[in-house]
Amino acid sequence: MHVDTYWHAFVSEDAMPIAGLLIDCRGGSERSVCGPGLRGLRGEVARVYAPGIGLSRPARLLHPRYPLYIAPKQDDHYVIGATEIEGEDMSPVSIRSALELLSAAYSLHPAFGEGRILELSTHCRPTLPDHRPALLWDGVSILRVNDLYRHGYMIAPEVARETVKLVNALLDTRVRDIDGFNTWRAS
Ligand SMILES: Cc1cc2nc3c(=O)[nH]c(=O)nc-3n(C[C@H](O)[C@H](O)[C@H](O)COP(=O)(O)OP(=O)(O)OC[C@H]3O[C@@H](n4cnc5c(N)ncnc54)[C@H](O)[C@@H]3O)c2cc1C
């Protein structure tokens, strides 16, 4: 199969590349075509260096507002995340969120108090109302892969597998009309 790839290229909705089949995975920026249901959910994380703690597995913390985790990385680095705040605000991490993330780490192990903050960062997660991933076929040439929400890294392999299955089916012209598609989906 021949696939053209373009890196660092902005693609706008009114100038989509011409292709037999397009797989659109632009995250939250597909909102204009996926309807008002698709939204961004702000998440903030801290990356710290904290030697001497030796956590070897991710730890989940109970927090009244969002599930927080501390994920150990190489060389005594830890990622502490993540807040979950309605809105597509990409501004820098708020003081309250920074306090919550860092206090959570400090409450888990006092040695985090001597750690060093390497980075505080913000991003938005593409999210549909049911928080479940969705493959949306426009019935003509565009397949949109959406709503990985909080679990994008974790569920990406499964979503990719399902996408490949659907793409293979769509390349079979019998599946391209709505009856063929429904038959394929029911099979
Ligand atoms: C703070 C935070 C912590 C997280 N922690 C975890 C975690 O621990 N485990 C986990 O499984 N998931 C985690 N996630 C969720 C995960 O990051 C998302 O589910 C995942 O990134 C969504 O992937 P995506 O490819 O759909 O969208 P995105 O990651 O948003 O990727 C979309 C891509 O499309 C590009 N793009 C957008 N518009 C255009 C355009 N017009 N033209 C060309 N390119 C465009 C963007 O530059 C981007 O590269 C976290 C998210 C956040 C914000």
Side-chain angles (χ1 to χ4, degrees):
M1 190 190 309
H2 175 80
V3 179
D4 290 326
T5 53
Y6 302 87
W7 299 94
H8 307 293
F10 182 84
V11 179
S12 74
E13 195 56 35
D14 46 16
M16 297 292 265
I18 309 290
L21 182 60
L22 267 175
I23 302 172
D24 184 0
C25 37
R26 291 173 297 157
S29 71
E30 296 163 57
R31 191 169 53 256
S32 58
V33 279
C34 295
L38 183 66
R39 68 196 199 280
L41 256 186
R42 175 178 164 94
E44 298 147 293
V45 284
R47 181 178 288 272
V48 303
Y49 169 62
I53 294 175
L55 258 190
S56 57
R57 289 164 187 273
R60 182 50 84 82
L61 292 115
L62 296 176
H63 182 278
R65 289 200 294 145
Y66 12 72
L68 291 184
Y69 55 83
I70 300 180
K73 305 287 175 187
Q74 260 185 318
D75 303 326
D76 296 315
H77 288 202
Y78 294 89
V79 171
I80 309 160
T83 61
E84 186 170 316
I85 297 165
E86 283 295 339
E88 288 162 24
D89 173 5
M90 292 280 282
S91 64
V93 174
S94 70
I95 291 173
R96 180 170 66 190
S97 295
L99 287 170
E100 285 180 332
L101 293 171
L102 299 174
S103 306
Y106 183 50
S107 68
L108 183 83
H109 198 304
F112 274 111
E114 287 307 314
R116 296 294 181 263
I117 301 167
L118 303 176
E119 186 188 337
L120 291 166
S121 62
T122 305
H123 200 57
C124 284
R125 314 166 176 100
T127 306
L128 285 166
D130 62 1
H131 293 179
R132 297 177 65 190
L135 304 180
L136 305 170
W137 167 239
D138 76 345
V140 186
S141 63
I142 304 180
L143 177 63
R144 301 186 198 271
V145 182
N146 274 120
D147 188 23
L148 300 190
Y149 175 49
R150 251 192 112 102
H151 312 301
Y153 309 130
M154 200 169 59
I155 59 173
E158 189 52 36
V159 172
R161 253 191 302 274
E162 288 302 314
T163 304
V164 169
K165 269 198 240 166
L166 183 50
V167 166
N168 280 328
L170 291 172
L171 290 174
D172 176 344
T173 45
R174 285 166 302 177
V175 174
R176 281 240 176 169
D177 65 52
I178 196 68
D179 291 336
F181 180 73
N182 285 335
T183 309
W184 172 81
R185 192 160 62 168
S187 66

